[in-house]
Amino acid sequence: MVKRVLMIAFHFPPMRGSSGILRTLKFSRYLPEFDWEPIVLTAHPRTYSSIGDDQAGEVGERVAVYRAFGLDTSRHLSFMGRYPALLALPDRWISWSLGAVPMGLYLIRKYRPDVIWSTYPIATAHLIGLSLSRLTGLPWVADFRDPMTDIDYPPDRLTRQTFQWIERESVNYCTKAILTTPGAVDDYKKRFPQTPASRFHLIENGYDEENFTAAEANLIKEQKKNTRLVLLHSGIIYPSERDPTQFFEALAVLAGQGLISHTDLHVILRATAHDSYLLQLIDRYKIGDIVSLAPPISYREALSEMLAADGLLILQASNCNNQIPAKLYEYLRARRPILALTDPAGNTAAALISVGIDTIAPLDSKNDIMRELPRFLALIKGNKAPIASMENALAASRRSRTKELSALLDDVAQRA
């Protein structure tokens, strides 16, 4: 008997520029291996600010993809750069729900799915999942990934209140709520003490072994002309959650002391999405000869760059202690030395320590970074930097995570 799941996700090819695409893309690709047929309900490509075909070929042959009407309020409904705030609650893609709910009802009639699954961080996706579940009575799995709200997040009060309402309604009405870190699971259990603890389930992010196999096959390492080490950060640098100010200041001081220089270290920040902010900091600390910004590249190219780098950089502030950047799992599989600038008490540090990586310093401490960075570079030069074992890396593959999801869907469908 065919089991079907309706997957509601904003992030999906041909969108570019977000690692969040991979969670739904890979779940949908591998679910048929575990006897689940996915029907993906996503948004029209016009809603994406950047699109490309580099991941189109990774959509599984057995995946039915439907794209509902949607607009980006900031680009399509603004006048002279301004738009009413209500047209962007809970997010700029609220219009997607106008097309997705009717299309979702059509898909439910057509395919008769056993379960509805929706995924954050676009809050509108959970609104769509909530609406379809309430209208049809189908069990609903809400994939939160990270917590939707915090004491001061989202920073805008009205947006935060809207998010809190969606979060509360989702927890109350979903059959299962998925989080991606142990800390996030614990946080939700504390926030919602009246909700059965069994409702909350852990499925971490991961990496795709097929992508890495292809990247390794195409990898061409350039012959080094000097001893300059490349330290790479691949992906978005959020000013509030991954602020590199203390790191940049540490680089400036170390350079001033002659402990590092542009002749022995090159820090590449790839596809930050906040280049203008970072350029101001780079200019302020006069480290432009050490730190450079690089534009987005295809996902396969990004993996090849990780594999070729001398070291990989993680930035994660203490206000994200219950989160783990999705790129961490790719870093572990790349099996290159990792410098993690993050709170040693957070989930990111715990994940690294569990696989034997201790090159960690708090992101908000210039002095700690000044101590750890030279040690890290010395370990690389001495070929002694700790890296994850292949066994530990493979445990975080997307196929392994999909097996966990299929077991959860089986349980939900059997109980319905």
Side-chain angles (χ1 to χ4, degrees), residues 6-10 39-41 96 116-119 125 128-129 132:
L6 177 62
M7 307 185 77
I8 302 162
F10 181 81
I39 303 101
V40 175
L41 174 55
W96 176 38
I116 296 169
W117 177 92
S118 65
T119 187
I128 297 167
L132 291 176

Side-chain angles (χ1 to χ4, degrees), residues 319-367:
N319 61 1
C320 296
N321 270 3
N322 287 339
Q323 301 176 23
I324 298 176
K327 70 170 64 66
L328 177 67
Y329 304 96
E330 295 168 344
Y331 280 12
L332 293 175
R333 173 57 182 84
R335 305 193 68 228
R336 307 302 301 144
I338 297 172
L339 175 63
L341 302 185
T342 189
D343 186 348
N347 280 196
T348 299
L352 289 166
I353 292 169
S354 72
V355 297
I357 297 174
D358 65 350
T359 43
I360 300 168
L363 179 60
D364 59 358
S365 174
K366 177 192 70 175
N367 291 334

Side-chain angles (χ1 to χ4, degrees), residues 154-229:
D156 175 72
R157 182 181 60 83
L158 182 57
T159 303
R160 184 165 62 251
Q161 290 175 343
T162 305
F163 269 50
Q164 288 170 339
W165 179 83
I166 296 171
E167 183 178 51
R168 184 171 59 251
E169 292 295 292
S170 297
V171 168
N172 286 340
Y173 287 104
C174 73
T175 309
K176 291 287 185 179
I178 300 175
L179 288 309
T180 57
T181 68
V185 172
D186 291 341
D187 181 38
Y188 267 58
K189 288 178 180 178
K190 292 175 183 176
R191 287 195 204 182
F192 302 97
Q194 305 304 318
T195 301
S198 60
R199 186 168 300 175
F200 303 105
H201 196 85
L202 174 67
I203 300 181
E204 296 182 61
N205 282 309
Y207 77 94
D208 190 80
E209 184 62 25
E210 289 182 359
N211 290 148
F212 266 94
T213 300
E216 287 173 330
N218 296 325
L219 179 64
I220 300 176
K221 290 192 175 182
E222 295 183 1
Q223 188 72 28
K224 279 188 174 291
K225 298 179 181 180
N226 52 45
T227 58
R228 194 181 197 199
L229 297 179

Side-chain angles (χ1 to χ4, degrees), residues 63-273:
V63 180
V65 181
Y66 292 82
R67 305 182 187 279
F69 166 85
L71 301 172
D72 178 347
T73 298
S74 69
R75 290 188 295 120
H76 300 127
L77 300 177
S78 63
F79 179 71
M80 298 183 68
R82 301 177 66 86
Y83 53 85
L86 289 176
L87 296 181
L89 286 175
D91 48 57
R92 302 190 334 248
W93 303 278
I94 182 60
S95 61
W96 176 38
S97 65
L98 299 178
V101 171
M103 182 173 283
L105 291 172
Y106 162 75
L107 295 176
I108 289 169
R109 288 194 300 270
K110 179 177 180 178
Y111 289 100
R112 303 292 180 185
D114 300 270
V115 182
I116 296 169
W117 177 92
S118 65
T119 187
Y120 181 72
I122 300 302
T124 293
H126 279 344
L127 275 181
I128 297 167
L130 172 65
S131 299
L132 291 176
S133 178
R134 297 296 302 277
L135 288 169
T136 65
L138 285 172
W140 169 39
V141 175
D143 184 44
F144 283 92
R145 307 193 194 192
D146 297 323
M148 287 185 64
T149 65
D150 207 334
I151 296 173
D152 54 358
Y153 182 83
D156 175 72
R157 182 181 60 83
L158 182 57
T159 303
R160 184 165 62 251
Q161 290 175 343
T162 305
F163 269 50
Q164 288 170 339
W165 179 83
I166 296 171
E167 183 178 51
R168 184 171 59 251
E169 292 295 292
S170 297
V171 168
N172 286 340
Y173 287 104
C174 73
T175 309
K176 291 287 185 179
I178 300 175
L179 288 309
T180 57
T181 68
V185 172
D186 291 341
D187 181 38
Y188 267 58
K189 288 178 180 178
K190 292 175 183 176
R191 287 195 204 182
F192 302 97
Q194 305 304 318
T195 301
S198 60
R199 186 168 300 175
F200 303 105
H201 196 85
L202 174 67
I203 300 181
E204 296 182 61
N205 282 309
Y207 77 94
D208 190 80
E209 184 62 25
E210 289 182 359
N211 290 148
F212 266 94
T213 300
E216 287 173 330
N218 296 325
L219 179 64
I220 300 176
K221 290 192 175 182
E222 295 183 1
Q223 188 72 28
K224 279 188 174 291
K225 298 179 181 180
N226 52 45
T227 58
R228 194 181 197 199
L229 297 179
V230 172
L231 181 57
L232 170 72
H233 183 279
S234 185
I236 298 175
I237 297 180
Y238 301 100
S240 59
E241 292 91 0
R242 300 174 183 173
D243 186 0
T245 299
Q246 295 299 306
F247 173 52
F248 285 179
E249 187 172 354
L251 290 174
V253 174
L254 290 170
Q257 295 174 347
L259 297 176
I260 61 170
S261 76
H262 69 280
T263 62
D264 57 36
L265 178 63
H266 183 197
V267 178
I268 300 175
L269 308 180
R270 170 75 66 183
T272 73

Side-chain angles (χ1 to χ4, degrees), residues 398-414:
R398 296 281 185 184
R399 185 175 270 107
S400 295
R401 304 303 194 208
T402 305
K403 184 177 181 180
E404 297 175 33
L405 176 61
S406 70
L408 179 65
L409 294 177
D410 285 339
D411 180 64
V412 170
Q414 289 169 5

